[in-house]
Amino acid sequence: MAFLFRPFQRSYNYLYRTAHEKPVMFYSVVLGVIGPVMTIAIPPLRESFGYVPPPAVPSSYPLPNRPRRPLSGYDDE
């Protein structure tokens, strides 16, 4: 049964050694792995803490429900 866990032990030893010898590369990989995990894990956590998303920003200005009046008094002509 020990042979089943041998690859995990080798991976752990490799990560341990890399963290000491090449910390920049190790932590870059760690942050790179955490990013996609956070995209899946964070939205449910936010909802569980009571976060309510803000209302959507309107994409256009609402037009009034009345006929348009011509402008006067601006001397454009």
Side-chain angles (χ1 to χ4, degrees):
M1 281 307 280
F3 66 89
L4 291 175
F5 298 108
R6 189 73 177 155
F8 297 111
Q9 184 180 6
R10 287 182 184 162
S11 298
Y12 176 77
N13 289 339
Y14 175 74
L15 291 174
Y16 184 78
R17 189 179 80 234
T18 306
H20 286 279
E21 293 178 4
K22 303 173 187 175
V24 172
M25 290 176 53
F26 174 75
Y27 288 109
S28 296
V29 170
V30 168
L31 289 175
V33 169
I34 288 175
V37 171
M38 287 177 57
T39 62
I40 297 170
I42 295 299
L45 283 173
R46 288 170 55 177
E47 290 176 3
S48 69
F49 287 127
Y51 174 76
V52 178
V57 177
S59 60
S60 67
Y61 187 78
L63 295 175
N65 193 8
R66 58 178 169 75
R68 290 186 165 203
R69 295 175 293 201
L71 296 175
S72 62
Y74 288 99
D75 297 328
D76 287 339
E77 298 173 356

